Amino acid sequence: MSTPTRAPSGAPSHLTGPGGGRVGDDAARPDGVLKVRGEFAYGSDLWMDDMLWGVTLRSPHPYARIRSIDVGAALAVPGVHAVLTSDDVPGEKVYGLELADQPVLALDVVRYQGEPVALVAADHPDTARRAAARIVVDYDVWEPVTDARRALGHPTWNQVHDSPAEVTELSRESAHLHPHGNLVRHLKVRRGDPAPTADVVVVNEYEVGMQDQAFLGPESGLAVPGEDGGVDLYVATQWLHVDQRQICAALALPPERVRLTLAGVGGAFGGREDLSMHVHACLLALHTGRPVKMSYNREESFFGHVHRHPATMRYEHGATRDGDLVYVKATIYFDGGAYASSTPAVVGNGGTMGIGPYVVPNVHVDCYGAYTNNPPCGAMRGFGSVQTAFAYESQMDALAAELGMDPVDLRCRNAMEQGSEAITGQVVDSPAPVVELLRRLEAMPLPPEVPTGDAVDLRDMPGGVSNSTHGEGVRRGVGYAVAYKNVAFSEGFDDYSTARVRLEVVGGEAVATVHTAAAEVGQGLVTVEQQIARTELGVDRVTVHPKDTAVGSAGSTSASRQTYVTGGAVKAACEAVRARVLERARSVVGRPVADLRLDGGKVVSDLEGVALPLADLLGDEAVEETLEWRHRPTEAVDPETGQGFAHVQYAFSAHRAVVDVDTELGLVKVVEMACTQDVGKAINPQAVVGQIQGGTAQGLGLAVMEEILVRDGRVQNPSFTDYLIPTVLDMPPVRVEILEYADPHAPYGLRGVGEAPNISSGPAVLAAIRQATGLPLTRVPVRPEHLTGT
């Protein structure tokens, strides 16, 4: 593989870090000190002295036909080096993660506000922006389709429980957003009696708004043209190899001429799984022969990445008077926006796990993903399960109220356990401690009541120091929720990771180097890679190679999968290195390999105490192994019944939320969050707690404040002034209790951690607000007007 002629300032280097830690230890991050000091280089810090700046001209309309594009005035601006449109894309003009349906640059139609139409490269970013403003695009503006149910011809819910929703034909010309129609995927799950009856029936409709990943580092990258006619792209992303595949197709170049290196990533949460500026920067660099940097501002970032799918859901739960679930019927609509992105997989998750971690004999689920003219939606933490959890956990509370039961008791009575069958018919063949998670939460002490009157601290009140209340009109509520989530990729996807591990002597000390393409997006994977190498090879010094496409794919940093899959690959590669080293040691020390192990940079025999330094054994010769590692295979579900071994592993978490609500002003103060979660094995306990706290914050945000407001296909709040996320003042103390019931099928018994706490936290907050107010609350985020009725 060719190497770039030059590397930019800010390109990643090898990470060695401050110190030790093996599997199970609270190991320090090798990039932690740099980040705390502000010395870590993120994608927006990339720099080359002769680079140009690229900007994107985007559509102001959610749906329109392009009659013409005139770039003459833009090209005439001094300092402009290139203005490109779709005509300048040499290869495939559309791309996509699962379905190639999204134009690199708009072709004849724009399908969402913010869709890229043209590119400009100039010697200064302001020059590029001024030139982009001079591009004249003649649009024929059309009426957008902005409702997922209407897009599919199902505009209303049918009020008869056992009949399908009304289906109508849309006659407007604009109804067909793509040539093959507006349906991305329809997943059916059918199980048990198709016409069940029950003593008690609860029916409700729910809605979840569009949430943003709200990562702090905007989309950034630098493309450097290579001497071989190819290009080197330094970019903040989540999945280098799937980016490479799509870029190669668009540029009509082979993989060896499109080389990617991971730049510093300032958060992701799924929003970097799709391409943003990747192809654009490469096109401009190859066209001008100069390095080209692109870095979005905050507003453009909102238009430049996918968001969480909004959902509308109708659930019907039937139970016996004793509280045994008899059946669940659910119809779920995910709004995928203008292009498919991850919608097929989101539909898969939403449907196959759409009733929660409960045992239900009769199930009828229809889950749809639809094209609309709203912003494209794709991967985001919780991936299809966050939305359905709001609905099925709300239903469990509603059913408990109807039965006169305690909500936790109802959940425990119907809880999944090891050996249970999921609604896909898949047997849960590892621990599923749903009941224990809930009972441990119940046993935790509740926070003390907040004093009122003169003793009140305004910071403890809803509304805070705005001095809106001193406790009058404030009611407290406590709510519980539980969730489960698939880990890694499902439904037959060939899910694997590649790791290259090298053991050698440097400066008289044994050093291991780990090289994978697994994106570190802030979750701490580089620390985990070091911990595994130290554990398996018995050395203290472990270096993490920059993440790039010079090694095989590691898959995406998503689906809570990297510690499982890339961790498994690193473990396997280390084991292969260790086997070769011990085989070499056998002939030196005269002991069987089975009696030898690596520890403290030495070959050790527990039987005879032989200690042979690795420095002596290896000399100048390195031992290196590169391995692909796969978890056990999954399978596609049956298209008519949704039955099959769809998921490799489940993660379980539960939350308790305590809230104070000012019922007169509709203000909410989350007083405390508590979480119990089974992580199988805590590879790095401190990092696990951090993931749970972060996921809890994101779930709280969706429950009470986070939403991209879209009206008629137009985003109303593309800024961190108007898109609200929890700050330190909004986050309460988070109690965390970790369970470690090993999954026998996973490396070290671990479970994916990152997504589950994001799923159960929000419904717990909503349940607590309901208990405080007595209101049904079927939409999130909850706004003040929902609580006051104004």
Side-chain angles (χ1 to χ4, degrees):
M1 179 171 287
S2 303
T3 55
T5 306
R6 298 174 295 160
S9 170
S13 58
H14 288 69
L15 286 170
T16 299
R22 300 191 178 188
V23 170
D25 295 340
D26 289 326
R29 301 175 61 121
D31 53 352
V33 172
L34 293 172
K35 288 180 175 176
V36 170
R37 289 179 174 170
E39 298 170 353
F40 183 83
Y42 291 94
S44 55
D45 296 315
L46 292 162
W47 188 272
M48 294 186 87
D49 288 339
D50 61 340
M51 70 183 186
L52 302 174
W53 294 81
V55 302
T56 310
L57 177 71
R58 297 176 180 275
S59 167
H61 307 294
Y63 197 23
R65 183 173 66 86
I66 297 175
R67 293 193 183 102
S68 64
I69 303 176
D70 183 354
V71 302
L75 278 170
V77 175
V80 169
H81 289 252
V83 181
L84 307 181
T85 67
S86 62
D87 292 339
D88 300 297
V89 179
E92 297 292 334
K93 294 186 185 295
V94 291
Y95 68 92
L97 283 172
E98 300 182 50
L99 301 172
D101 64 355
Q102 185 158 359
V104 174
L105 291 167
L107 298 169
D108 55 342
V109 173
V110 290
R111 295 181 175 83
Y112 72 97
Q113 181 198 24
E115 180 160 353
V117 175
L119 306 170
V120 177
D123 53 12
H124 192 280
D126 288 343
T127 303
R129 281 190 283 269
R130 285 199 307 273
R134 296 191 177 193
I135 299 172
V136 179
V137 184
D138 184 14
Y139 292 103
D140 179 12
V141 179
W142 293 342
E143 178 188 359
V145 176
T146 58
D147 182 279
R149 282 179 294 175
R150 288 196 62 82
L152 296 177
H154 304 168
T156 59
W157 298 107
N158 193 305
Q159 297 303 310
V160 181
H161 300 165
D162 55 358
S163 297
E166 179 185 359
V167 177
T168 61
E169 293 293 331
L170 299 184
S171 58
R172 288 177 297 130
E173 181 185 359
S174 60
H176 291 283
L177 306 181
H178 289 266
H180 51 279
N182 297 344
L183 176 64
V184 182
R185 185 181 182 188
H186 174 200
L187 175 73
K188 294 180 279 188
V189 181
R190 305 287 187 263
R191 187 168 177 80
D193 185 349
T197 58
D199 299 331
V200 177
V201 175
V202 173
V203 184
N204 283 297
E205 297 166 9
Y206 301 93
E207 184 177 351
V208 175
M210 181 183 290
Q211 189 181 23
D212 189 70
Q213 294 84 353
F215 46 71
L216 297 183
E219 291 82 350
S220 299
L222 177 62
V224 184
E227 294 178 342
D228 60 352
V231 63
D232 292 87
L233 178 64
Y234 298 81
V235 64
T237 185
Q238 287 181 244
W239 191 352
L240 288 165
H241 284 80
V242 83
D243 291 351
Q244 183 191 41
R245 170 176 60 79
Q246 296 171 92
I247 296 169
C248 286
L251 300 180
L253 288 174
E256 60 270 19
R257 291 171 65 187
V258 178
R259 301 162 290 265
L260 272 66
T261 300
L262 183 71
V265 182
F269 307 114
R272 299 184 198 272
E273 211 170 39
D274 296 75
L275 298 183
S276 57
M277 41 60 63
H278 306 56
V279 180
H280 299 165
C282 293
L283 280 171
L284 291 171
L286 292 172
H287 191 84
T288 62
R290 298 267 294 271
V292 175
K293 176 174 177 174
M294 298 187 78
S295 186
Y296 293 172
N297 61 28
R298 180 57 58 192
E299 178 177 311
E300 188 174 21
S301 179
F302 273 94
F303 291 106
H305 63 256
V306 297
H307 314 287
R308 188 188 300 288
H309 290 68
T312 50
M313 300 166 283
R314 182 177 187 276
Y315 273 71
E316 177 179 329
H317 279 58
T320 68
R321 295 200 179 279
D322 293 331
D324 293 327
L325 288 172
V326 176
Y327 71 87
V328 176
K329 298 180 181 179
T331 307
I332 303 159
Y333 291 95
F334 287 117
D335 180 353
Y339 297 105
S341 181
S342 301
T343 296
V346 168
V347 169
N349 281 7
T352 59
M353 289 176 291
I355 70 164
Y358 304 111
V359 178
V360 184
N362 307 296
V363 177
H364 186 114
V365 173
D366 285 287
C367 188
Y368 301 93
Y371 288 115
T372 68
N373 291 120
N374 290 322
C377 291
M380 185 173 172
R381 194 178 199 174
F383 205 75
S385 295
V386 165
Q387 298 91 327
T388 54
F390 272 105
Y392 65 68
E393 285 300 89
S394 298
Q395 283 290 97
M396 294 301 283
D397 286 338
L399 187 58
E402 194 71 20
L403 291 166
M405 288 184 67
D406 179 89
V408 173
D409 289 343
L410 177 65
R411 287 175 169 85
C412 291
R413 187 180 183 94
N414 293 281
M416 180 181 284
E417 60 186 12
Q418 185 167 0
S420 299
E421 287 190 8
I423 61 172
T424 56
Q426 181 174 338
V427 175
V428 180
D429 57 0
S430 62
V434 178
V435 172
E436 184 177 354
L437 293 172
L438 287 165
R439 294 306 185 198
R440 283 177 178 266
L441 275 179
E442 275 193 317
M444 291 183 186
L446 288 165
E449 293 290 333
V450 176
T452 57
D454 294 339
V456 71
D457 183 338
L458 289 177
R459 292 171 297 180
D460 297 330
M461 290 286 106
V465 295
S466 62
N467 201 21
S468 56
T469 180
H470 287 228
E472 60 275 12
V474 174
R475 298 178 192 165
R476 173 160 293 187
V478 179
Y480 292 83
V482 64
Y484 81 140
K485 172 70 176 61
N486 64 317
V487 172
F489 293 157
S490 302
E491 298 189 68
F493 190 90
D494 183 17
D495 194 9
Y496 71 95
S497 181
T498 312
R500 178 175 298 152
V501 173
R502 179 183 179 93
L503 185 63
E504 60 191 327
V505 177
V506 178
E509 181 183 4
V511 178
T513 300
V514 178
H515 188 184
T516 74
E520 167 64 66
V521 300
Q523 81 279 34
L525 179 67
V526 292
T527 319
V528 167
E529 291 177 336
Q530 289 185 318
Q531 290 177 268
I532 292 173
R534 291 192 194 103
T535 301
E536 300 300 329
L537 297 176
V539 298
D540 292 329
R541 189 174 165 193
V542 178
T543 296
V544 179
H545 191 284
K547 310 292 189 173
D548 57 31
T549 50
V551 68
S553 177
S556 176
T557 295
S558 62
S560 304
R561 63 178 288 283
Q562 283 294 17
T563 298
Y564 190 139
V565 184
T566 292
V570 172
K571 182 174 185 286
C574 287
E575 290 170 343
V577 168
R578 185 178 64 207
R580 286 177 55 189
V581 171
L582 293 181
E583 179 60 29
R584 185 181 301 182
R586 178 188 61 79
S587 62
V588 176
V589 301
R591 297 292 308 166
V593 168
D595 290 346
L596 302 175
R597 59 185 174 86
L598 301 181
D599 192 17
K602 300 174 182 177
V603 180
V604 176
S605 168
D606 290 330
L607 295 178
E608 297 189 358
V610 174
L612 174 63
L614 283 173
D616 295 345
L617 180 66
L618 298 179
D620 296 330
E621 186 177 351
V623 179
E624 182 177 289
E625 291 284 349
T626 303
L627 290 178
E628 288 182 357
W629 188 87
R630 289 170 167 78
H631 56 64
R632 56 181 174 157
T634 58
E635 63 185 24
V637 296
D638 184 281
E640 295 302 318
T641 65
Q643 302 297 291
F645 189 87
H647 306 301
V648 66
Q649 183 190 73
Y650 297 111
F652 298 90
S653 69
H655 271 88
R656 183 185 70 191
V658 180
V659 305
D660 285 342
V661 182
D662 182 335
T663 56
E664 296 174 356
L665 295 178
L667 302 175
V668 176
K669 170 76 175 179
V670 182
V671 177
E672 184 192 83
M673 297 293 292
C675 177
T676 51
Q677 182 166 340
D678 177 20
V679 303
K681 171 68 179 176
I683 302 297
N684 187 334
Q686 196 171 54
V688 165
V689 171
Q691 285 289 309
I692 293 173
Q693 291 172 331
T696 300
Q698 216 158 20
L700 182 155
L702 180 57
V704 297
M705 63 180 73
E706 291 192 46
E707 183 176 10
I708 295 180
L709 300 172
V710 184
R711 291 178 189 157
D712 299 326
R714 298 176 185 276
V715 176
Q716 306 296 303
N717 56 341
S719 74
F720 279 166
T721 299
D722 297 317
Y723 181 87
L724 304 180
I725 57 175
T727 69
V728 67
L729 294 176
D730 301 300
M731 277 304 296
V734 182
R735 293 174 185 256
V736 177
E737 190 169 312
I738 294 171
L739 279 62
E740 294 184 274
Y741 293 125
D743 179 344
H745 311 288
Y748 306 110
L750 66 85
R751 293 181 192 275
V753 173
E755 294 177 288
N758 183 221
I759 299 169
S760 51
S761 52
V765 172
L766 200 66
I769 298 174
R770 281 200 203 95
Q771 195 200 50
T773 63
L775 297 170
L777 301 177
T778 57
R779 188 190 193 282
V780 290
V782 174
R783 298 175 184 148
E785 59 265 33
H786 300 153
L787 303 177
T788 60
T790 56

